[in-house]
């Protein structure tokens, strides 16, 4: 518990450092905010197409489909705020040798390398849009507002973030073995975009692959599916177990990568 409190306090310090830097460079903050809003607008064209075609997927009405898109935006916002820039910096630190300094820090190295750079300009538009879309869909579809259902949705959101973290951390770690791994990172990151729509629209083979082999659909398909009562007990359990397994796997790979880096440095 003491370690958890310590790292939570550090996250607060990282956030404070970010806010102080943005107060100094406000133009940069608002420029990024505008650019991200424009990118978000282009993504929202998916929603416009859904509404205009009145598309129904596996019994899901357009309003229900927007709940999947909104959940995707929320999780993407959390990832963008906490991890996106850190994963890029992780690759660069291997190339330029700045990892040597990070290794000397008296805190968890994985925590420092993957959470130390906080960014709020990138996620703000996505988070706001996601919350509005999910709230509107929840109300329009008259979904249950019982505390258990809401808590379950939030719980699967957290698990989705853990899963996305675990999957997207692996490509940057390849830079410890290969000179460049940005291409692989972009390909794997692109897989997350499959979550913008319900996985029901994809072929059975792809659904199986994205649920049980590389469980990318757990990221933002499972939260709305849980609220809609479309997850059986077995799938609910897998949605809990898989993120834990993948996080553990990412942790093992991270430790091996650091040992390899240390052996090369020596």
């Amino acid at each position: 518990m003491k370690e958890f409190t310590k790292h939570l306090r550090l996250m607060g310090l990282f956030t404070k450092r970010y806010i102080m830097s943005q107060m100094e460079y406000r133009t940069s903050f608002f420029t990024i905010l505008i650019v991200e809003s424009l990118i978000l607008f282009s993504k929202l064209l998916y929603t416009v197409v859904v509404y205009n075609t009145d598309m129904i997927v596996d019994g899901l009405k357009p309003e229900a489909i927007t709940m999947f898109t909104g959940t995707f935006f929320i999780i993407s916002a959390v990832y963008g705020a906490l991890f996106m820039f850190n994963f890029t910096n992780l690759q660069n630190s291997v190339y330029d040798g700045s990892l040597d300094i990070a290794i000397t820090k008296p805190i968890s190295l994985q925590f420092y390398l993957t959470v130390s750079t906080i960014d709020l300009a990138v996620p703000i538009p996505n988070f706001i849009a996601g919350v509005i879309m999910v709230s509107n869909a929840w109300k329009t579809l008259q979904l249950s507002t019982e505390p258990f259902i809401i808590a379950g949705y939030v719980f699967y959101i957290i698990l989705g973030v853990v899963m996305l973290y675990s999957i997207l951390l692996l490509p940057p770690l390849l830079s410890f073995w290969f000179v460049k791994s940005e291409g692989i990172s972009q390909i794997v990151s692109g897989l997350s975009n499959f979550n913008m729509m319900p996985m029901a629209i994809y072929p059975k083979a792809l659904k199986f692959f994205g649920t049980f082999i590389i469980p990318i659909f757990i990221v933002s398909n499972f939260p709305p599916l849980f609220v809609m009562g479309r997850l059986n007990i077995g799938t609910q359990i897998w949605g809990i177990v898989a993120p834990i397994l993948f996080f553990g796997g990412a942790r093992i790979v991270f430790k091996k990568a650091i040992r390899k880096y240390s052996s090369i440095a020596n």
Side-chain angles (χ1 to χ4, degrees):
M1 188 65 183
K2 183 182 293 185
E3 282 297 309
F4 176 78
T5 304
K6 172 185 175 182
H7 287 84
L8 198 63
R9 192 182 304 115
L10 283 171
M11 285 191 67
L13 292 175
F14 294 151
T15 304
K16 181 180 179 180
R17 181 183 65 183
Y18 167 80
I19 293 175
M20 291 175 64
S21 67
Q22 292 306 310
M23 291 296 290
E24 186 176 356
Y25 303 102
R26 298 180 187 179
T27 303
S28 174
F29 175 84
F30 287 107
T31 300
I32 295 174
L33 195 63
I34 293 171
V35 171
E36 286 300 319
S37 298
L38 293 174
I39 294 174
L40 172 65
F41 178 77
S42 66
K43 291 180 179 179
L44 287 174
L45 293 177
Y46 283 99
T47 307
V48 174
V49 171
V50 169
Y51 266 101
N52 288 342
T53 58
D54 200 26
M55 182 172 61
I56 296 179
V57 177
D58 193 29
L60 297 172
K61 297 180 180 179
E63 293 82 4
I65 295 175
T66 60
M67 190 171 188
F68 289 85
T69 306
T71 302
F72 171 80
F73 286 155
I74 291 173
I75 293 178
S76 296
V78 176
Y79 169 75
L82 300 179
F83 310 124
M84 185 172 69
F85 291 103
N86 288 290
F87 287 1
T88 301
N89 293 338
L90 173 58
Q91 291 176 311
N92 294 335
S93 67
V94 176
Y95 305 146
D96 61 24
S98 59
L99 182 59
D100 294 344
I101 300 176
I103 291 177
T104 64
K105 302 291 183 182
I107 59 173
S108 166
L109 183 60
Q110 183 173 344
F111 174 82
Y112 179 78
L113 291 176
T114 61
V115 186
S116 60
T117 301
I118 305 292
D119 188 280
L120 299 179
V122 170
I124 285 177
N126 288 280
F127 187 79
I128 293 175
V131 169
I132 292 174
M133 293 173 72
V134 169
S135 300
N136 180 67
W138 207 306
K139 181 179 180 181
T140 303
L141 298 171
Q142 298 182 333
L143 298 172
S144 173
T145 55
E146 294 182 6
F148 171 75
I149 299 298
I150 296 175
Y153 178 79
V154 174
F155 179 60
Y156 276 105
I157 285 279
I158 295 172
L159 290 172
V161 172
V162 173
M163 177 58 75
L164 189 62
Y165 170 92
S166 303
I167 292 176
L168 296 186
L169 175 60
L170 294 175
L173 293 179
L174 292 177
S175 59
F176 286 86
W177 286 274
F178 306 102
V179 177
K180 294 288 184 179
S181 62
E182 287 88 347
I184 299 175
S185 296
Q186 291 174 1
I187 293 173
V188 175
S189 179
L191 292 176
S192 65
N193 291 327
F194 283 103
N195 276 290
M196 287 191 66
M197 298 292 284
M199 63 182 182
I201 71 171
Y202 303 111
K204 289 184 178 180
L206 184 56
K207 284 192 292 185
F208 180 85
F209 182 84
T211 303
F212 299 105
I213 308 302
I214 300 180
I216 198 69
F217 288 132
I218 288 178
V219 174
S220 59
N221 259 252
F222 274 38
L225 287 174
F226 172 79
V227 174
M228 297 173 189
R230 286 173 168 256
L231 288 181
N232 59 45
I233 186 64
T235 313
Q236 289 181 34
I237 294 174
W238 175 242
I240 298 172
V241 172
I244 297 173
L245 291 176
F246 270 73
F247 181 81
R251 178 65 176 161
I252 292 172
V253 175
F254 179 85
K255 288 182 176 180
K256 288 185 176 181
I258 294 301
R259 282 200 296 270
K260 179 175 178 60
Y261 180 84
S262 299
S263 64
I264 293 175
N266 292 331

